Amino acid sequence: MMRFLLLFSRQGKLRLQKWFLPLPEREKKKIIRDMVAMVLARKPRTCNFLHWRDLKIVYKRYASLYFCCGLEEQDNELLALEVLHRYVELLDKYFGNVCELDIIFNFEKAYFILDEFLMGGEIQETSKLSISKSIEASDMLQETMEEYMSKPAF
Amino acid sequence: MPAVSKGDGMRGLAVFISDIRNCKSKEAEIKRINKELANIRSKFKGDKALDGYSKKKYVCKLLFIFLLGHDIDFGHMEAVNLLSSNKYTEKQIGYLFISVLVNSNSELIRLINNAIKNDLSSRNPTFMCLALHCIANVGSREMAEAFAGEIPRILVAGDTMDSVKQSAALCLLRLYKTSPDLVLMGEWTSRVVHLLNDQHMGVVTAAISLITCLSQKNPDEFKTCVSLAVSRLSRIVSSASTDLQDYTYYFVPAPWLSCKLLRLLQCYPPPEDGAVKGRLVECLETILNKAQEPPKSKKVQHSNAKNAILFEAIALIIHYDSEPNLLVRACNQLGQFLQHRETNLRYLALESMCTLASSEFSHEAVKTHIETVINALKTERDVSVRQRAADLLYAMCDRSNAKQIVAEMLSYLETADYSIREEMVLKVAILAEKYAVDYSWYVDTILNLIRIAGDYVSEEVWYRVIQIVINRDDVQGYAAKTVFEALQAPACHENMVKVGGYILGEFGNLIAGDPRSSPLVQFNLLHSKFHLCSVPTRALLLSAYIKFINLFPETKSTIQEVLRCDSQIRNSDVELQQRAVEYLKLSSIASTDVLATVLEEMPPFPERESSILAKLKKKKGPGAVSAGELEEGKREGGEVNGWEVNQQKSEPSQENASSLTTSPSPTPTAMHLSLTSFFFPSSLSQSTPSPSADLLGLRSAAPVSAAPVSAGSLLVDVFSEAGPAASTAGVNDDGFLRFVCKNNGVLFENQLLQIGIKSEYRQNLGRMYLFYGNKTSVQFVSFSTTLKPVDPLVEGGAQVQQVINIECLSDFSDAPLLNIKFRYGGALQNLSLKLPVTINKFFQPTEMSSHDFFQRWKQLSQPQQEAQKIFKANHPMDTEVLKAKLLGLGTALLDNVDPNPENFVCAGVIQTKAQQIGCLLRLEPNAQAQMYRLTLRSSKDTVAKRLCELLSEQF
């Protein structure tokens, strides 16, 4: 299973953090620090995998953002790269040409999309169509419900 | 879809985020945040009831502030209120807040659980999914208690929507990981397994993660999943890239599901059903074939997805370790990747080859890539790839290529990255020792190691070279000569001075005949380094000097002069001063006879496991042991992790032990404990304890009772037997006994035939795989065994496999016999071996508290229920090795039961068809006497007796 997923900028600003196992806050901060330092120090065109403690770290840079996740020993690194890619695709489809600002201003949406895709660190659904459909459905739900609720009551 | 329309509804939030982004300094940001926090607090405390929208907005702001890295200590209640809102977005934000800021406040958890309960029973799939996500995100014990019963029902109910099933499966997995005791699958098992057949690919993808985890824990109950998984895999592998619609990813059909299926199959041995196995082998072959086809897309996503499946398939092939053809193909495929232009593939190929190197079928095939790997070590630009290359060289090393590999690693060390130097040094040291045929090569290698990377040579490494030189008289002269030459260098590393001081102090006489290395030249050379060294090294040198006085009486006056000078005899360091005074006195009052006795040559060290190896494993941490070793560990019964943990846990106690028994200082004085302390008992209490001093065997105090040194087996490491250079086993009785505490290995080997064994046991049942390997190039004819019919022709170089099932009906003492007959070049060969099936194979470990243990111990107090033996240690008394053996025995090793921490206590139940037999064990080592007392108590007298016999041969 994936243990955590972090999104941070080239300046080391954290944009999204998802922990699939509960950890104490101090431990989380330590991991974030280590990951940012390790990944930002990598030279270009090096491989996307690292060992850190007993975890495999897989990271990839998309424009100004680094996507970085921690995997357990038996997980497949190449597939994890594609998990990151699929997540980027999902964000892209939702926001339309996604950029860092979209994730900053709509961080809650970034979380919701991730939740449709991964759960407990495992893949829940890989189909881009199904995920987009359920995200759209909940957006619809939001609109219809709000319309419904804002109608004057008798 | 434009961004704005999605994030709208909360303009205030967007404004706040902009404000934060516009802050010019950290202080400004904090100020802005504090202002906002004060605002939110007043809103929440205000008299006016907030509407849902405002609540949602403020909760969202709090979340944002938290994610910026600030602490949030309020707002939880408002978030919980949002959970029961009818508005989807409010509910959603509420759940998000709870998921991110879990708070174990029990009052709150009850409220949260209530809201979740309502949503789960709402039959609204969107709400149910939100609730399931929240459970999975928090995953606490309380939640497991509240929902572990309900979720399986949702998962298998016929009318549950697919999306909810997906969430339920993964949510259940999460709860199972936190609280396996609360998730009872029993009645649901078969319906959960059949989710593998579900029409909806998403449901299968989610469910298989759950099934894999459950299968690992309860393989028997879930074993029907094997054939289902194979047929599902076969359907995907053979499908065209468009068949699976949106589950095709960049022209690769269902890569995630394929990998998960292959991973699930790795929880089981190869399928027994021939048809299923055939189908699976076909799948694996198709996957390997596809790797050779031209890519359907140039996109990296396509090749990543395709190769992800390929690597997972190779992992399965390695796991089975029984299809030589597939193993060699896998190895060739990885060989191609070693030169691929994608760095990622080179990295993974190196990593994956490490595990292949430890399979007997593919070890040779891996070795053919040695030049490529060496090249990678030299030319890769990425340190993490170089690291993997070094790991692989280590894994593929055997007697045939050790010199080349060690030479390459040494030359790499000169430029190696600092981060991996220490580990490289340990690896070189281990390989040099493990494959040393000629010990002058070993000495050269270690001295080179000190020269090249002296700072990274830990104490273990230089202790070990001294141990070996002391124990092998054929290399002592050479060592003295080489170290003397090495010390001539103007700047030599302090570790070199230590080794030099020790070796010349012991064996300087062997080179003293040459006028270029006469005693005085030797002494002056050592003493020229003295002032540049640290206190412990100086202390060591002083001991070397007193040894010189004994070896070379002609140096006495010069050395006494040195000892007498103020910088020694009045040294501010109390240890140095004391040594100077004592040695000076000793050299002037003792007669030559006394001196010769006191300063006699060191006796050989007792043979023991190399702690360099232990250090390497400890250093890398449980998950990071090189894959090759991990694989070996797996074959030994998957206890690598436990072993690691034990090792770390026991570290403090080892230190205690060493500080209690003797002075752990690694200097010659300490080694001469029994001698110098006779004269100056006080001098030893001063020495500084060193954390890893145990290496030289000091813990077992006086090396006087040294065990006999066997020249061939200098390194007794617990992993070597399954290692690439598999042992050349001797006679059968010996072979038989070696299997008491382990299940896999080589049972028998002579010039013609090698018999390897793999076995597994569960309760009163067992399965044993026998591998008969023809070592010659000539065919064996009329090959037969008493066990089962087997193909009568065994081609030269081929291997035949036989599987036998074992059932333990009642307890037994005699091992079943295996007779093997075959004709080799006309001569009839007849072989009779004991099959290594012993009563302890049917142990189920039993954990119990100290109280329970002693109660049961007392209950088994009749004289015939106890068997006891006192015997001499046949192997070094290493705690870790003992623990590993006791675990290998099959019992549970109980901590904190015996009041004496040195003793070992185990408990287990032997499962036979007829009855269950409880057994308790106590092993009391006496390091001083090199003896053990072993006591067994069992409800059945014959069992206690037999176990006692078997075990007394193991330690």
Side-chain angles (χ1 to χ4, degrees), chain B residues 732 736 747 757 768 770 772 787 804 806 814-818 833-838:
Chain B
N732 170 247
F736 170 80
L747 175 67
I757 281 197
M768 184 177 280
L770 290 134
Y772 304 95
L787 292 173
I804 53 172
I806 300 163
D814 291 330
L817 279 184
L818 163 66
L833 302 170
K834 277 192 210 168
L835 270 187
V837 183
T838 44

Side-chain angles (χ1 to χ4, degrees), chain A residues 62-101:
Chain A
Y62 286 90
S64 60
L65 268 190
Y66 282 94
F67 289 65
C68 167
C69 60
L71 308 179
E72 292 177 348
E73 186 57 38
Q74 69 275 16
D75 291 322
N76 190 312
E77 291 102 326
L78 284 174
L79 212 52
L81 268 182
E82 295 320 301
V83 169
L84 300 182
H85 186 75
R86 172 102 316 171
Y87 183 44
V88 174
E89 286 183 345
L90 291 168
L91 292 170
D92 208 53
K93 189 162 190 329
Y94 184 78
F95 290 110
N97 221 347
V98 65
C99 66
E100 193 182 339
L101 279 181

Side-chain angles (χ1 to χ4, degrees), chain B residues 29 70 100 146 221 278 306 365 452 488 608 613 750 774 872 927 937 950:
Chain B
E29 184 184 308
H70 302 269
V100 176
E221 286 162 53
K306 194 167 134 184
I452 295 169
Q488 312 257 329
R608 47 194 293 137
L613 199 63
N750 64 10
N774 181 345
K872 201 150 181 58
R937 286 192 175 183
L950 284 172

